[in-house]
Amino acid sequence: MQQTDREYLPGDGEAPWATHVLNGAPALITYIDRHRRFRFVNGTHLRWLGVDPAQMVDRLVDEVVDDWSLQRAGSCLEQALAGEPAVYEGELFGGSARCYMHGNFQPDFDADGQVRGVFTVFIDITERHVLETQLRESEQRFYGAFQHAAIGMALVAPDSRMLRVNGALCQMLGYSEEELLSKSFVELTHEDDLAASHQLSSELAAGGRETYQLEKRYIHRDGHIVHVLLSVSLVRGADGRPQHAVAQIQDISQRKAYEEALFRERELAEVTLRSIGDAVITTDMQHRVTSLNPIAEAMTGWSHGEAVGKPMSEVFKLIDSRTRDPLHNPLLDAIARDAIVELKGDAVLLHRNGFETPIEDSAASIHDHAGSVIGGVLVFHDVSETRALALKMAHLAQHDTLTGLPNRSLLQSRLEQVLAAAQRRQDQAALLHIDIDHFKQINDTFGHAAGDDVLRALAAHLRSHLRNEDTVSRVGGDEFVVLLSHVDGRIGASQLCEKLIRGWQASNASRMGELSIDFSVGISVYPDDAHDAETMLRNADVAMYEVKMQGRSGYRFFVPSMSERPAARLRIEQELRKALRRGELVLHYQPKVEAVSGVIVGAEALLRWLVDGREVYAPDEFIPVAEESGLIVSLGDWVLREACRQAGEWYRAGRPIVVAVNVSAPQFQHAGFHDALQAALQEAQLPPALIELELTERMVMSAGDQSRVLMQRIKDLGVSLALDDFGTGYCSLSYLKYFPIDALKIDRTFVRDIASDPDNAAITDAIIAMAHGLDMTVVAEGVETPEQAGHLRRAGVSLLQGFLFGTAQPADELFRQLAPR
């Protein structure tokens, strides 16, 4: 028997098949005539909606279908009845049977082309709609997270094209979204990072890895470098093939800047430890060695590799030079007490191989960022005869070379200590600011050598009338400060002051020919007048100026009624403002000579305040006032323009010399200084090589990198730079190479005793040798004797300046001495 796939329904013909298909189809099928009546409704309505099709046939659509559904799909029916097919997708059938439907409205035309009805087919797509809605919501969440992420995001095609980018990435790289999508990551990547980036992206595209992370550099639209941390994850398609990648781009430029700064700090620290003359050993909390610098290696006999991890007691062995007994290591106390501890007694370091070195040292604890002690550092140095020169220089850094008294730096330190002790004891202390009256007249009349004799005599007089615990300091040209660590209030201070004045007036040193030498004293008392070192100094200074205003030669205590800025200084400031307008300021020029030939090759411009040819105020009187009042910037600008103008005249007259101009710290740090210098050179039509700016050590060091950048800009103009008063102890020799200095000016305090003091001569010779090693010119100022000049020539000084070769003089007088070129 032949088998067939055909099956039969009860009844004959094809009609049963058609009825079966229409009523069983998973769709709602109707036919609506042009009068909007249902002519056919299939049986699915009964199963889906519980509506009997027989009750719908021959009824109007408006009678059967609820208003809610008609409002949504009614327009599609009207469109189909008008002859245009229509599609509806949305919710239909109000009530509990509401579904999300896809409906087609197909017009039915008669032979004449007239619409005679509409076929409708509705399919329930509720489940599909739910899935689509969930997908859309997921995409929206993804897009929201993508677009508004705080870090850069991108979807990247396998060929490195960007399919989508977020706002953070656009902002990071400086492009609009449209511009960024037109580029590939390859175009944006720094050329030095292309190889590593290409390798990883190729492995990702080939399916060899699922993710990678890379620090790299992008080029911002404006050209600057953007350091980023790139994290890339592969997204695969349904078939498992790589489809695209999600890239997260985090800007780490600031972190890289911090890392670079930290690296430089570490490098600087390491270079410093390796180059300084002191030995340094560090340990952990268990007193195990963690590092040694080269000096420590040499002095202990232990290499860094051998010593690290060893107990400190094994590497660093100390004995007393007199008793030969072992000495306690100060580092142990420093760590235990979290304090700085200095080594006591005559300590000797035992080298690993047995020989001995006398040392001095200090130890301190090391802290982490939270302030907790994590170890210790020991700094020590050789104090044998080979180190005597360095110790001498250290002493000079805190003492005045002319009188041997402590200088301002050491006074400040001692004053702070005395005030702290007085506060603990609830005691009183006093400060006497002493200034010699008419000291400039002594120098002008009898010469600087005589002035130096007066300064030394007054220093000895003050020292002889004070207790050992008191301090006498020379803080300026003719200014001294006496610190009384304990005093019985104002009565005690006034008694001592009268004793000092009477004793001086009775001495031979108080008279020089017909000239009587007196001094003025201002006194401030702790705690009545001030509670800190700075205010004590200022108040004593104020009181001293009050004495000057009252006729000099006496003393005054500070009282609150005294103005914070003394009347004398206020008067100088007011008159200085007028002097600038009246043209009462002039420049005098002190010659600089070539050391070997003696020919004048330069001059230092020095400011003078003259009225009718007479000096109204000395520079050391009005320049501090200008600095305090803010006039120093405009005053300095005038000096710079005038020096350039004069140098330009000499240049055009065939007498070119290099003119040096002193620059104050406020003027140098002023935002417009570089522009003012450039304008002065252009206005004077002066070659920049004929101007030299003299800067102080404190000015150069105080601003660090900022100073170095400005100095380099000045050098780029062609102007040379000199470091004034070098050797006074502020600047570290090791830092000189970081600044674009052309010349060093050796301070006159070293020059004064160079022919008679071997230590002074050795220090000066070392400075000259060091300057030559750094390719710098050396200028010596304050040269007053042939012996000084001879020593400096032999030591290799290039230029000499001082009374031996001429004082500061008007421009026309110096011009007559210049040789034509």
Side-chain angles (χ1 to χ4, degrees):
M1 179 183 291
Q2 184 178 3
Q3 293 184 344
T4 176
D5 290 335
R6 183 173 180 181
E7 296 182 2
Y8 291 90
L9 294 173
D12 296 326
E14 297 296 326
W17 274 108
T19 301
H20 178 68
V21 170
L22 287 172
N23 290 324
L28 303 178
I29 302 172
T30 67
Y31 185 87
I32 303 171
D33 66 16
R34 64 173 175 243
H35 301 298
R36 299 172 62 89
R37 289 184 181 274
F38 284 106
R39 292 302 182 186
F40 175 81
V41 179
N42 75 340
T44 307
H45 285 72
L46 182 61
R47 295 198 308 275
W48 282 13
L49 304 179
V51 179
D52 186 355
Q55 294 178 357
M56 295 174 61
V57 175
D58 291 332
R59 295 179 65 188
L60 293 171
V61 171
D62 296 350
E63 296 174 348
V64 174
V65 179
D66 60 276
D67 292 340
W68 191 87
S69 297
L70 280 175
Q71 288 175 1
R72 284 154 176 74
S75 60
C76 293
L77 177 60
E78 295 298 332
Q79 181 178 330
L81 288 172
E84 291 292 332
V87 175
Y88 171 80
E89 193 165 289
E91 287 187 303
L92 282 181
F93 310 120
S96 60
R98 184 178 299 176
C99 303
Y100 203 89
M101 309 294 286
H102 177 87
N104 283 283
F105 294 79
Q106 183 66 37
D108 179 30
F109 300 96
D110 61 16
D112 296 327
Q114 299 297 315
V115 177
R116 59 185 178 191
V118 175
F119 295 101
T120 71
V121 178
F122 282 87
I123 301 173
D124 186 349
I125 60 169
T126 301
E127 291 185 5
R128 190 193 80 186
H129 174 68
V130 170
L131 291 175
E132 289 175 347
T133 300
Q134 292 174 344
L135 179 60
R136 269 197 308 276
E137 290 174 350
S138 176
E139 289 178 343
Q140 288 172 353
R141 286 194 297 271
F142 169 76
Y143 179 75
F146 180 92
Q147 189 63 28
H148 301 296
I151 63 174
M153 299 285 291
L155 294 183
V156 188
D159 60 359
S160 296
R161 287 182 304 102
M162 285 178 279
L163 305 173
R164 178 180 286 180
V165 294
N166 71 346
L169 184 59
C170 295
Q171 183 178 9
M172 186 188 305
L173 299 180
Y175 293 97
S176 67
E177 182 177 350
E178 182 180 355
E179 291 171 331
L180 203 53
L181 289 175
S182 69
K183 297 184 175 293
S184 69
F185 273 123
V186 173
E187 297 174 78
L188 300 169
T189 299
H190 190 283
E191 60 181 358
D192 293 343
D193 296 339
L194 280 173
S197 183
H198 178 71
Q199 174 68 27
L200 290 170
S201 60
S202 297
E203 293 177 8
L204 193 76
R209 60 169 62 232
E210 296 297 313
T211 64
Y212 71 82
Q213 194 172 75
L214 173 69
E215 285 189 11
K216 61 185 295 189
R217 290 163 290 178
Y218 287 134
I219 309 298
H220 192 276
R221 184 177 184 177
D222 64 12
H224 78 263
I225 300 296
V226 180
H227 291 268
V228 303
L229 175 61
L230 177 66
S231 301
V232 183
S233 299
L234 185 65
V235 178
R236 296 181 181 273
D239 58 0
R241 295 181 181 178
Q243 192 173 39
H244 60 265
V246 177
Q248 300 179 58
I249 305 98
Q250 184 177 356
D251 188 344
I252 59 171
S253 300
Q254 189 175 41
R255 193 196 83 193
K256 296 298 287 186
Y258 290 152
E259 289 176 353
E260 180 64 24
L262 181 60
F263 175 78
R264 288 198 302 268
E265 287 290 329
R266 287 176 175 171
E267 284 291 295
L268 178 59
E270 185 153 345
V271 169
T272 302
L273 283 176
R274 291 185 172 276
S275 60
I276 64 174
D278 284 346
V280 181
I281 301 177
T282 62
T283 72
D284 58 20
M285 287 291 289
Q286 287 70 45
H287 311 137
R288 293 188 296 262
V289 174
T290 55
S291 70
L292 295 85
N293 73 343
I295 301 297
E297 289 181 319
M299 293 182 67
T300 62
W302 289 81
S303 69
H304 182 275
E306 293 173 322
V308 169
K310 292 285 193 304
M312 183 67 169
S313 57
E314 185 176 344
V315 175
F316 187 77
K317 296 181 178 180
L318 294 176
I319 61 170
D320 189 296
S321 61
R322 294 167 300 176
T323 66
R324 311 298 294 175
D325 294 332
L327 285 177
H328 181 67
N329 191 328
L331 186 62
L332 308 184
D333 292 336
I335 294 175
R337 292 161 41 198
D338 188 14
I340 297 175
V341 179
E342 295 187 357
L343 185 63
K344 304 296 182 183
D346 298 322
V348 169
L349 173 65
L350 294 180
H351 190 276
R352 190 179 186 183
N353 294 332
F355 60 84
E356 303 174 357
T357 305
I359 67 166
E360 286 182 353
D361 77 359
S362 63
S365 51
I366 301 174
H367 303 85
D368 61 14
H369 67 280
S372 301
V373 178
I374 59 172
V377 57
L378 185 73
V379 181
F380 56 98
H381 55 268
D382 183 351
V383 292
S384 61
E385 292 183 3
T386 58
R387 300 289 289 174
L389 183 61
L391 294 176
K392 174 70 173 177
M393 196 167 185
H395 175 81
L396 289 173
Q398 293 187 314
H399 291 78
D400 171 46
T401 56
L402 177 65
T403 63
L405 296 177
N407 61 13
R408 182 181 293 273
S409 173
L410 185 54
L411 169 69
Q412 181 81 19
S413 175
R414 290 188 180 177
L415 178 55
E416 290 172 355
Q417 294 172 7
V418 166
L419 294 185
Q423 183 180 24
R424 288 194 304 270
R425 298 192 307 261
Q426 296 186 337
D427 203 352
Q428 291 181 300
L431 204 66
L432 282 59
H433 193 131
I434 300 173
D435 185 88
I436 300 175
D437 298 332
H438 305 296
F439 184 72
K440 184 176 183 299
Q441 185 178 351
I442 298 172
N443 280 335
D444 292 344
T445 304
F446 300 99
H448 285 273
D452 289 348
D453 288 341
V454 171
L455 294 173
R456 280 190 284 261
L458 181 57
H461 170 72
L462 296 175
R463 183 68 269 171
S464 66
H465 285 76
L466 297 174
R467 301 164 300 188
N468 290 333
E469 62 265 29
D470 298 329
T471 299
V472 182
S473 171
R474 183 185 175 208
V475 296
D478 62 334
E479 294 180 75
F480 296 81
V481 170
V482 172
L483 170 60
L484 305 176
S485 59
H486 169 75
V487 67
D488 293 328
R490 292 176 179 257
I491 295 176
S494 62
Q495 290 174 344
L496 174 64
C497 200
E498 290 171 0
K499 178 181 176 182
L500 291 175
I501 293 174
R502 287 196 306 270
W504 173 254
Q505 291 173 343
S507 68
N508 294 329
S510 66
R511 301 198 61 82
M512 190 168 287
E514 297 299 320
L515 181 64
S516 177
I517 303 170
D518 297 306
F519 53 78
S520 302
V521 186
I523 308 171
S524 62
V525 177
Y526 172 89
D528 297 346
D529 301 330
H531 292 84
D532 61 85
E534 182 180 351
T535 309
M536 286 283 289
L537 287 165
R538 184 173 63 248
N539 289 349
D541 183 54
V542 168
M544 184 271 293
Y545 268 90
E546 285 291 319
V547 179
K548 296 282 189 183
M549 291 297 296
Q550 299 299 322
R552 298 178 168 84
S553 185
Y555 67 90
R556 289 284 301 273
F557 284 94
F558 173 81
V559 293
S561 61
M562 293 178 180
S563 60
E564 196 164 312
R565 291 174 57 220
R569 293 194 178 190
L570 181 59
R571 186 178 66 202
I572 291 174
E573 178 187 343
Q574 293 170 341
E575 293 181 4
L576 183 58
R577 293 182 187 276
K578 296 175 185 177
L580 274 169
R581 295 194 298 269
R582 295 171 179 168
E584 295 173 353
L585 299 171
V586 298
L587 292 183
H588 284 184
Y589 300 87
Q590 185 174 31
K592 295 181 182 179
V593 304
E594 202 279 324
V596 176
S597 67
V599 174
I600 298 175
V601 294
E604 180 177 358
L606 298 170
L607 185 61
R608 297 291 184 263
W609 185 351
L610 303 178
V611 175
D612 298 331
R614 294 179 61 253
E615 190 168 47
V616 181
Y617 292 101
D620 58 359
E621 291 178 304
F622 69 83
I623 287 179
V625 175
E627 291 179 341
E628 181 182 329
S629 63
L631 281 172
I632 194 65
V633 174
S634 55
L635 190 63
D637 286 346
W638 180 86
V639 170
L640 190 59
R641 291 197 309 274
E642 175 62 17
C644 288
R645 184 199 64 76
Q646 184 61 68
E649 283 192 8
W650 289 336
Y651 167 68
R652 286 184 286 277
R655 306 289 199 276
I657 62 170
V658 177
V659 175
V661 180
N662 291 283
V663 179
S664 69
Q667 181 187 6
F668 184 69
Q669 294 163 3
H670 191 269
F673 177 71
H674 182 271
D675 293 339
L677 172 61
Q678 197 169 22
L681 292 170
Q682 292 172 351
E683 183 181 328
Q685 298 181 348
L686 176 68
L690 294 181
I691 282 291
E692 179 179 74
L693 302 183
E694 293 191 1
L695 313 175
T696 65
E697 298 180 21
R698 184 178 297 274
M699 185 191 310
V700 169
M701 294 294 292
S702 62
D705 286 344
Q706 185 179 352
S707 290
R708 185 157 54 88
V709 171
L710 177 56
M711 291 167 70
Q712 188 57 57
R713 292 182 65 202
I714 293 171
K715 288 271 292 180
D716 293 341
L717 289 177
V719 175
S720 58
L721 298 170
L723 198 60
D724 197 13
D725 298 335
F726 184 78
T728 54
Y730 185 82
C731 187
S732 169
L733 304 184
S734 63
Y735 279 91
L736 277 179
K737 62 183 178 182
Y738 294 108
F739 296 98
I741 300 294
D742 299 290
L744 292 184
K745 292 193 73 175
I746 299 176
D747 186 66
R748 65 180 66 248
T749 56
F750 288 96
V751 173
R752 178 185 292 113
D753 301 322
I754 196 170
S756 58
D757 185 343
D759 286 342
N760 228 11
I763 293 172
T764 305
D765 293 348
I767 292 174
I768 295 168
M770 177 208 65
H772 287 164
L774 295 173
D775 197 26
M776 295 179 184
T777 301
V778 182
V779 183
E781 60 182 352
V783 182
E784 299 184 0
T785 67
E787 291 77 15
Q788 293 169 345
H791 182 101
L792 293 166
R793 287 192 191 97
R794 291 190 296 274
V797 170
S798 305
L799 301 176
L800 303 174
Q801 176 183 350
F803 287 170
L804 183 64
F805 308 104
T807 60
Q809 52 199 274
D812 55 350
E813 292 184 18
L814 180 62
F815 179 74
R816 288 192 287 270
Q817 303 175 45
L818 300 180
R821 296 188 192 180

